[in-house]
């Protein structure tokens, strides 16, 4: 059984000019058990180090899967299981995504997603499986799950007012249904 959240390493073809990588192929994506159609690409810039965006998701009927990559800088990318009835509800996995390593994280619908920038001027690009729907936009507070955020001792992350006001996980009633695939550590 494959974990629903997956770390996808980059396959780079290197020569004297640099490298080439196929960032996304629907054929390869589905061949590896990730049945998902993406409809929108998003691109964000976070200027200050230790900026935290998240933990975000969209609820049904416009829940979103995401395919996340860092194209400049380094981020600590996190997914939290939000599926009601899941034995791993509230558990999280994380990976460092960098422009250098080219890895991507696949975060299916039913998981909260967020990231912490680890240096200045980080750019993140991600595909989503449904369009932005303001009425379905939701999230939970970054500190309501015991995530080991790699913050300097005593530091708090840079947050948007919206993210600072998100409810705690314990106050969220999940509309997501467990599909029988528990969250597993990233490989």
């Amino acid at each position: 059984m494959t974990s629903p959240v997956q770390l996808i390493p980059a396959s780079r073809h290197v020569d004297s000019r640099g490298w080439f990588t196929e960032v996304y192929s629907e054929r390869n994506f589905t061949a590896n058990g990730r049945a998902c159609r993406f409809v929108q690409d998003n691109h964000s810039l976070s200027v200050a180090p230790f900026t935290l965006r998240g933990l975000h998701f969209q609820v049904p009927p416009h829940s979103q899967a995401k395919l996340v990559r860092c194209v400049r800088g380094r981020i600590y990318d996190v997914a939290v299981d939000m599926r009601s009835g899941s034995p791993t509800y509230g558990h999280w996995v994380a990976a460092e995504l960098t422009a250098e390593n080219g890895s991507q994280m696949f975060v299916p619908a039913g998981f909260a997603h967020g990231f912490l920038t680890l240096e200045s001027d980080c750019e993140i690009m991600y595909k989503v499986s449904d369009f932005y729907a303001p009425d379905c936009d939701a999230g939970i507070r970054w500190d309501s799950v015991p995530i080991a955020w790699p913050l300097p001792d005593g530091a708090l992350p840079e947050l948007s007012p919206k993210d600072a006001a998100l409810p705690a996980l314990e106050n969220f009633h999940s509309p997501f249904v467990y599909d029988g695939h528990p969250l597993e550590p990233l490989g």
Side-chain angles (χ1 to χ4, degrees), residues 134-149:
D135 293 347
C136 296
D137 189 29
I140 56 170
R141 275 187 59 88
W142 69 280
D143 58 355
S144 69
V145 178
I147 297 168
W149 297 105

Side-chain angles (χ1 to χ4, degrees), residues 54-60 62-64 66 82 111-113 132-141 162-163 166-167 172-173 175-176:
L55 298 161
H56 303 145
F57 49 89
Q58 282 192 177
V59 297
H62 296 288
S63 53
Q64 295 177 323
K66 297 177 180 178
M82 302 293 295
F111 288 79
H113 172 258
Y132 175 66
D135 293 347
C136 296
D137 189 29
I140 56 170
R141 275 187 59 88
K162 174 185 161 186
D163 287 355
L166 289 171
F172 178 74
H173 300 286
F176 300 111

Side-chain angles (χ1 to χ4, degrees), residues 78-163:
V78 176
V80 179
D81 190 347
M82 302 293 295
R83 300 168 300 159
S84 182
S86 171
T88 54
Y89 182 84
H91 294 202
W92 59 276
V93 292
E96 188 172 301
L97 304 182
T98 70
E100 186 175 315
N101 71 25
S103 294
Q104 299 180 82
M105 187 183 293
F106 175 64
V107 181
F111 288 79
H113 172 258
F115 62 86
L116 177 72
T117 62
L118 301 176
E119 56 189 56
S120 300
D121 299 319
C122 291
E123 289 188 58
I124 291 74
M125 295 188 74
Y126 57 101
K127 296 181 168 307
V128 293
S129 63
D130 202 342
F131 298 103
Y132 175 66
D135 293 347
C136 296
D137 189 29
I140 56 170
R141 275 187 59 88
W142 69 280
D143 58 355
S144 69
V145 178
I147 297 168
W149 297 105
L151 288 161
D153 287 342
L156 290 175
E158 178 78 27
L159 296 170
S160 71
K162 174 185 161 186
D163 287 355

Side-chain angles (χ1 to χ4, degrees), residues 19-70:
W19 53 262
F20 170 84
T21 189
E22 187 176 85
V23 174
Y24 174 76
S25 161
E26 183 179 44
R27 178 179 45 229
N28 292 340
F29 204 72
T30 56
N32 286 297
R34 301 176 205 103
C36 183
R37 178 177 168 256
F38 294 111
V39 299
Q40 181 175 311
D41 283 356
N42 298 327
H43 188 159
S44 72
L45 168 68
S46 296
V47 175
F50 306 112
T51 296
L52 195 148
R53 293 181 186 252
L55 298 161
H56 303 145
F57 49 89
Q58 282 192 177
V59 297
H62 296 288
S63 53
Q64 295 177 323
K66 297 177 180 178
L67 182 60
V68 183
R69 67 189 175 112
C70 181

